[in-house]
Amino acid sequence: MSVRTRATTWSLGLSGLLLLVVVVSAGIGAVTIPPRTVAAILADAVPVPVGVSLGGATVLPLVGPVPTPTLEFVSPFAFSVPRPARIIVLSVRLPRILLAALVGFALATAGTVMQGFFRNPMADPSIVGVSSGAAVGAVATIVLSLSIPFGLEGAAFVSAVVTAFVVYLLASENGRTPVATLLLAGVAIQTFLGAVISFLLLQSGESLRQVVFWLMGHLAGATWSEVGMLALVLPLPFVVLLVHARDLNVLLLGEEDAHALGIEVERTKQLLLATASVVTAAAVSVSGVIGFVGLVVPHMLRLLVGPDHRVLLPASALAGASFLVATDTVARSGGAEIPVGVVTAAVGAPFFLYLLRTREVRSP
């Protein structure tokens, strides 16, 4: 079976799984909604363009009023669904479910790239300090009551990207960035930022609960604006990583062999590291620190589909989306909601230990 066929088959299968998990999750909560009703609501919510109408006019200099074209959308279905159920699914549960899917997609994608980049199955998206950097930005904003553009999410994102850039600069020497040095620089920066976070926690006062909740990872209060922001940010980096999946395969042979096979090693490493860091920063900025998604999911999928990143990358991304939607459903379904990061750790750690005990951990 060709690589393209395998990638398509796995992607379609895992897309179907993701759709099933979304439908089931949307029906679970204080008010239970049957999966058939949820499916009808989601089908009704899918708009189909049917034409273009000329609405109000836009006044242009030297031209005058110009009619503004507007796309007309209709739903191809007209299912009879109770209005309360429609409001619950579309306004309350669906934004959180889609945000969970996008965050899981991003973390699993970044984790897959980092494990291949470092040639280490224990690597995860936070290995170069991106999550710690985002945490410092978010905690400082909360504790110090900072008012900055784009709020808490903007502070976390910028701080995460800056941290990744600093780690890269510290690890680079004479135009080269040894992977081992990059790993050590990341560990050192994470340790330092952990101390900064601890100091800020001591100063947090009444905001301690909010800080701890963010650090544990959360998806409560998800909005359509957050979903839209992440949906706009993620596609381009993902396509970039997918295009360079073959280069990532070659890097697994070692940098000398990769150079001999025509890969611009340093440029490729820079691109992979920067893109994976941006993906991680975007996810962490809206969800807080959620562990184990970028560690367990890529490793599990590597056991199923093999180490070829042309297949592994899209498969891990879709599986990560399903995993986080499922774990967030568990987090919000109890008597009292708990941070989703607690659930991912509780599920991911024992599963990973099971893999370690029952079969050899497969290197990328």
Side-chain angles (χ1 to χ4, degrees), residues 65-128:
V66 176
T68 304
T70 304
L71 279 175
E72 293 183 343
F73 294 90
V74 298
S75 172
F77 309 102
F79 296 113
S80 178
V81 178
R83 179 176 173 79
R86 187 184 300 274
I87 293 174
I88 290 172
V89 171
L90 296 181
S91 300
V92 179
R93 295 179 184 168
L94 193 58
R96 178 167 180 163
I97 291 170
L98 293 182
L99 188 65
L102 290 170
V103 170
F105 185 99
L107 293 177
T109 296
T112 303
V113 173
M114 290 301 186
Q115 289 181 7
F117 183 93
F118 287 99
R119 301 194 292 277
N120 187 337
M122 299 299 294
D124 73 349
S126 65
I127 198 168
V128 292

Side-chain angles (χ1 to χ4, degrees), residues 107 125-136 160 197 214 280 284 289-290:
L107 293 177
S126 65
I127 198 168
V128 292
V130 177
S131 295
S132 298
V136 168
I197 293 171
W214 194 94
T280 305
V284 176
V289 182
I290 299 177

Side-chain angles (χ1 to χ4, degrees), residues 34-323:
R36 180 178 296 181
T37 303
V38 173
I41 293 171
L42 296 180
D44 273 345
V46 177
V48 176
V50 294
V52 178
S53 64
L54 297 178
T58 300
V59 180
L60 299 179
L62 305 179
V63 177
V66 176
T68 304
T70 304
L71 279 175
E72 293 183 343
F73 294 90
V74 298
S75 172
F77 309 102
F79 296 113
S80 178
V81 178
R83 179 176 173 79
R86 187 184 300 274
I87 293 174
I88 290 172
V89 171
L90 296 181
S91 300
V92 179
R93 295 179 184 168
L94 193 58
R96 178 167 180 163
I97 291 170
L98 293 182
L99 188 65
L102 290 170
V103 170
F105 185 99
L107 293 177
T109 296
T112 303
V113 173
M114 290 301 186
Q115 289 181 7
F117 183 93
F118 287 99
R119 301 194 292 277
N120 187 337
M122 299 299 294
D124 73 349
S126 65
I127 198 168
V128 292
V130 177
S131 295
S132 298
V136 168
V139 172
T141 302
I142 296 171
V143 173
L144 303 178
S145 301
L146 300 178
S147 178
I148 60 175
F150 303 104
L152 182 65
E153 293 81 5
F157 180 81
V158 171
S159 182
V161 172
V162 169
T163 300
F165 183 68
V166 169
V167 169
Y168 175 80
L169 288 181
L170 292 174
S172 299
E173 184 177 357
N174 299 325
R176 296 184 67 254
T177 310
V179 171
T181 306
L182 185 65
L183 177 60
L184 294 174
V187 171
I189 291 297
Q190 284 188 72
T191 304
F192 173 75
L193 294 180
V196 174
I197 293 171
S198 297
F199 175 77
L200 290 172
L201 283 172
L202 292 175
Q203 312 301 318
S204 57
E206 295 181 357
S207 59
L208 177 62
R209 180 179 177 85
Q210 183 183 359
V211 170
V212 172
F213 193 73
W214 194 94
L215 291 174
M216 287 183 176
H218 67 92
L219 293 165
T223 63
W224 281 112
S225 63
E226 291 176 333
V227 173
M229 183 275 291
L230 211 53
L232 287 175
V233 170
L234 291 182
L236 181 58
F238 180 74
V239 170
V240 170
L241 294 173
L242 199 58
V243 168
H244 288 82
R246 179 184 171 277
D247 294 345
L248 189 55
N249 288 340
V250 177
L251 283 175
L252 296 179
L253 302 174
E255 294 185 12
E256 292 184 2
D257 291 337
H259 182 74
L261 291 172
I263 301 296
E264 296 183 31
V265 174
E266 290 304 320
R267 177 183 172 277
T268 302
K269 287 164 58 179
Q270 292 171 2
L271 180 64
L272 291 173
L273 182 64
T275 307
S277 297
V278 168
V279 169
T280 305
V284 176
S285 67
V286 298
S287 67
V289 182
I290 299 177
F292 279 95
V293 179
L295 175 62
V296 173
V297 173
H299 185 73
M300 180 175 62
L301 267 293
R302 187 175 289 105
L303 296 172
L304 293 175
V305 309
D308 191 335
H309 287 86
R310 292 173 292 182
V311 182
L312 178 61
L313 194 60
S316 294
L318 291 168
S322 298
F323 176 76

